[in-house]
Structures are given as C-alpha cells and as structure tokens.
Amino acid sequence: GAHASIPMYVRNPHSLPMQQLAELGAAGALLLLGFLAALGYAAVRRLRAGPLPDTGVLIGVAVAGGLAATVDWTWQFPACFAPVVVAAALLMAAAPGRAVGRSAPAAALVAILGVASIAAAGALALGELRLEQSRSAAAEGRIETSFERARQANEVLPFASKPYLQLALLEELEEDYGQALDYLDDARERDEGDWRLALLESRIRLLSGDDPGSQAAYERAGRFSPLAARLRDEVDD
C-alpha cells in the first residue's frame, strides 16, 4: 500500500472485515455490516417464529464461521466456509407460516442477487486460475501458452489490472518493450494507486534505453510508496 512500512507484499489479511476495508474502503465495510444486520434480523425472526430444531444449529454455525473469519482466512476454503454460507442462507429464508405470495418478490430478488454473486465469484476464480496457469507456463518456458492463458484471464476479468500486468511481463520477457508499456498503461487505468506498476515501468524503460523515462517512473513509484526505493533492486532481479 501507499503507506506501508514493511517491505512485504500481503495478499490476504487474516481477517475478512480487514480485507473488506483494505480493498473496498468504507463501502466494503458498509456492505459487510448490512449483510450482518440482515442476518441478525433473520435469526431473531426465526427465533420468534417458535421453537424450531434447526434454528440453534444454523445460528451456531453462522456465528462460529463469522468469528473465525475475523481472525483467519477461513472464507478462502470452500470446505470451511460453505457450511457457513448455507446456514446463513437458510436463516434468511422466509419464516415458517409467512404467506408465500408476500415473500415471493423478495425471494425472487434474493435469487437474482445470489445467481449474480455466484457468477461474479466464478469469474474471479476462473480469472485467477488462468493467471496462475499463465505464470506456471512462463516459468516452464511455454511462452505461447502463457500468453494464451493471460489473454483468457483478460477476457474473464476485463476490469482487473492483473491480466494486463501479466501480459506486460510476458512482453518484457519477449523484449517487446513498447507493447509491454502499452499493457502497463491499461493496467494503470484500472489501478492507479498500484506503485508496483510504476516500478515495473521504470525497469522496462531502463531496458529499452529510456533512462530519463525510467528515472521519472521510479520517482513516481517513490511518491506512491516509500518502499519503492527499497524494493527496486528486488524487482530488478
């Protein structure tokens, strides 16, 4: 981040709320709080509906899973967090005895949002898979396959900077520095605050013989993050 003081890249914090804050800021925190409020209301509603044998189990699973997600990245593992999601969904289902007609519009909206969320999550997972395949292929010297997987990731995640960053690295490997810089521009449009893009640009411009441009990009990286100067040698290796 721009204010980091430790020369280490952290992919996932050990806390779902902290990750929401880091990635989405106040909007992410509000979304998470809104979900928790809705879940709490649903739990109270089910408790008021009468003694149901499954209510206590569902609440216990949801609470345990939520507490675990605040101190570790259990939500990254389907085997750990899928039961929590299922329990939350069952808790938020219509309470017994409620008129079906009155809850049908809300149920339809929830179903639509659920399908959209699943599709978005699937796209993210597929994009990350393609990027990992691209990196593995590049490490094995299969450059054409690596390009193909990176382009597939870009098709799945056109709004993300990572596929463009991977394509820039591949073009750098092929010594097509002009195209690599073009891909870096595309990545920067999607993530202006990533100082690592400026640091990589500095390296590519240096390799292409553009010393003034390399120095300018390096200084820009330093303005983004105080760690840029300490990590430049590491990036150059």
Side-chain angles (χ1 to χ4, degrees):
H3 304 289
S5 59
I6 300 174
M8 179 182 297
Y9 174 63
V10 179
R11 180 176 182 180
N12 295 116
H14 282 249
S15 172
L16 179 57
M18 291 298 101
Q19 178 155 325
Q20 289 290 98
L21 281 171
E23 294 183 348
L24 301 176
L30 289 175
L31 287 171
L32 181 59
L33 289 174
F35 169 75
L36 293 176
L39 183 59
Y41 171 76
V44 171
R45 188 190 65 192
R46 286 183 65 92
L47 288 171
R48 288 178 176 175
L52 299 173
D54 63 338
T55 300
V57 174
L58 295 177
I59 292 175
V61 172
V63 170
L67 291 175
T70 63
V71 297
D72 211 339
W73 47 32
T74 53
W75 74 91
Q76 298 279 7
F77 304 98
C80 293
F81 214 65
V84 181
V85 175
V86 172
L90 291 174
L91 277 173
M92 299 179 78
R98 186 171 181 178
V100 176
R102 291 172 57 191
S103 63
L109 177 60
V110 170
I112 292 171
L113 292 175
V115 171
S117 299
I118 292 172
L124 288 172
L126 179 59
E128 289 291 341
L129 175 62
R130 290 292 181 260
L131 284 174
E132 186 59 35
Q133 291 173 340
S134 176
R135 298 184 190 106
S136 297
E140 296 170 1
R142 297 182 290 114
I143 303 301
E144 289 301 321
T145 300
S146 183
F147 268 110
E148 181 182 356
R149 295 294 182 265
R151 293 190 182 102
Q152 290 172 350
N154 185 42
E155 292 174 359
V156 176
L157 303 174
F159 52 83
S161 65
K162 286 183 179 180
Y164 287 107
L165 173 58
Q166 177 65 9
L167 288 167
L169 289 169
L170 291 172
E171 294 292 359
E172 179 194 17
L173 189 64
E174 292 290 279
E175 299 184 357
D176 189 343
Y177 302 125
Q179 185 60 61
L181 292 172
D182 288 342
Y183 280 133
L184 275 182
D185 287 338
D186 291 330
R188 190 178 299 110
E189 288 178 3
R190 290 156 177 79
D191 191 355
E192 295 181 357
D194 190 346
W195 57 271
R196 294 169 300 167
L197 299 178
L199 200 60
L200 178 59
E201 179 187 348
S202 175
R203 184 177 74 185
I204 292 175
R205 290 192 181 279
L206 185 63
L207 291 172
S208 68
D210 182 6
D211 292 348
S214 174
Q215 183 62 31
Y218 175 58
E219 291 175 356
R220 188 168 66 253
R223 290 194 297 270
F224 278 129
S225 171
L227 294 181
R230 299 169 61 182
L231 295 179
R232 188 185 192 190
D233 293 338
E234 180 179 329
V235 174
D236 288 338
D237 289 340

